[in-house]
Amino acid sequence: MAQEFDDSFKELEQSVMEDMRKVYSEKTIDHFLNPRNLAGIAAPDGFARIAGPCGDTMEIHLKVKDGQVLNASFWTDGCGPSIASGSMVTELAKGKSLSEAQKITQQDVLYALGGLPEESLHCALLAANTLKEAIKDYLVFKREPWKRAYKSGQDFK
Ligand code: FES
């Protein structure tokens, strides 16, 4: 009985993977099933939370030192492609200078993932835009650190 269950579970798993492969690249599937940088970063230097046109949300946390992205993490309540895009954009950003990271585009994320279907292109845009906002957040608070306390107060309202 247990063996039958194991066999049918494996068959189901294989069929799900075959269906995914018809739509997504191996890279996208890998980043969706094994997302990198999915945990938040304590006391981030830069943070952004953006909702895409589909209503899904992405967050990016950054650690920055000497103008370089030391660490980046993401979180999303979105679809599989948004998980893959958040995973990839944080991988692309880590180790880059802020000016290099600021230039990461939707196309860069799509290229690194091996493409996404037409209906998921906006998921890569959401990831690239959230990264840009997190960098902007870092730059604003670097110049005017007093604003961060004000912003925290706003979040609790
Ligand atoms: Fe909303 Fe992918 S981010 S559908």
Side-chain angles (χ1 to χ4, degrees):
M1 189 69 176
Q3 184 61 45
E4 278 175 33
F5 178 78
D6 282 354
D7 290 346
S8 61
F9 183 77
K10 272 182 197 154
E11 268 176 41
L12 179 65
E13 202 176 18
Q14 275 174 1
S15 130
V16 168
M17 287 303 289
E18 277 166 27
D19 286 348
M20 284 176 82
R21 287 192 179 104
K22 287 178 195 160
V23 181
Y24 302 113
S25 70
E26 286 297 327
K27 231 346 169 330
T28 298
I29 294 170
D30 178 36
H31 277 262
F32 165 47
L33 295 178
N34 309 292
R36 281 60 150 189
N37 316 311
L38 186 54
I41 294 174
D45 300 312
F47 169 77
R49 180 190 299 129
I50 290 187
C54 58
D56 294 333
T57 304
M58 184 169 292
E59 293 180 2
I60 288 191
H61 294 76
L62 298 176
K63 267 287 178 209
V64 179
K65 191 169 184 202
D66 299 331
Q68 191 180 15
V69 179
L70 284 191
N71 201 0
S73 77
F74 82 99
W75 176 87
T76 182
D77 58 8
C79 58
S82 74
I83 295 170
S85 297
S87 174
M88 185 53 84
V89 85
T90 49
E91 281 293 276
L92 291 173
K94 284 193 328 188
K96 289 207 168 49
S97 69
L98 284 174
S99 59
E100 287 171 334
Q102 181 72 31
K103 289 179 194 146
I104 295 172
T105 64
Q106 174 192 26
Q107 286 308 319
D108 294 326
V109 176
L110 289 170
Y111 181 77
L113 286 174
L116 285 175
E118 184 74 30
E119 65 274 17
S120 302
L121 296 178
H122 72 275
C123 312
L125 181 61
L126 177 61
N129 285 345
T130 310
L131 174 64
K132 283 183 188 6
E133 284 301 313
I135 293 170
K136 212 185 283 176
D137 177 76
Y138 165 75
L139 293 171
V140 165
F141 290 116
K142 185 180 161 217
R143 288 190 202 112
E144 299 168 300
W146 58 271
K147 279 190 175 173
R148 196 172 285 286
Y150 175 74
K151 187 178 182 183
S152 303
Q154 293 286 306
D155 284 344
F156 290 112
K157 282 187 182 169

